Amino acid sequence: MTPRLSRRVALETRHVVADGGGGESATWVRKGTLWASFRPSSGREGLIGEQIASRVSHRVRVRGAPIGSPRRPQAAERLRMGTRIFDILAVTEDDDQGAYFLLWVVEGSLS
């Protein structure tokens, strides 16, 4: 059965540059656009200071891409869907042919 990839997401990678004062500054740079399907897998909430924060994990399926392709997601990158951010924790092939990847992502934060 072919997965229904119905959500358009941006794949972003972290780009670090020297700030000229001996430190560095990080920004997120768009690598490309992917079509994906999302499936929530777990969630929790807790307090950060005096605010309640939530963290939801998802399994995300996207099309496979060859090694070196900017469309190939990697751990430590992220997906953006509008204002929602999903940090990629792990990537694995979802089938024997590598036609699809399964991404383990988290949305939100609990520091």
Side-chain angles (χ1 to χ4, degrees):
M1 182 172 154
T2 302
R4 186 167 179 251
L5 308 178
S6 60
R7 296 191 182 185
R8 187 177 177 173
V9 296
L11 177 62
E12 298 179 337
T13 191
R14 191 168 188 252
H15 182 69
V16 179
V17 294
D19 66 6
E24 53 188 34
S25 175
T27 59
W28 289 92
V29 177
R30 185 184 188 124
K31 283 178 62 177
T33 302
L34 305 175
W35 287 94
S37 67
F38 282 72
R39 177 183 236 167
S41 59
S42 68
R44 66 182 182 147
E45 68 178 29
L47 289 175
I48 296 179
E50 295 183 16
Q51 293 185 339
I52 294 176
S54 66
R55 182 178 176 113
V56 178
S57 63
H58 301 266
R59 288 178 289 179
V60 178
R61 183 173 284 124
V62 297
R63 292 196 191 284
I67 294 173
S69 169
R71 296 175 46 94
R72 186 181 180 102
Q74 300 177 43
E77 293 182 332
R78 71 184 193 181
L79 301 175
R80 176 185 295 274
M81 185 169 49
T83 59
R84 297 172 70 185
I85 302 293
F86 303 87
D87 295 320
I88 302 173
L89 302 177
V91 179
T92 148
E93 290 184 347
D94 193 35
D95 60 349
D96 292 339
Q97 296 77 33
Y100 296 95
F101 292 142
L102 188 59
L103 285 55
W104 301 93
V105 304
V106 291
E107 176 184 19
S109 63
L110 276 181
S111 298

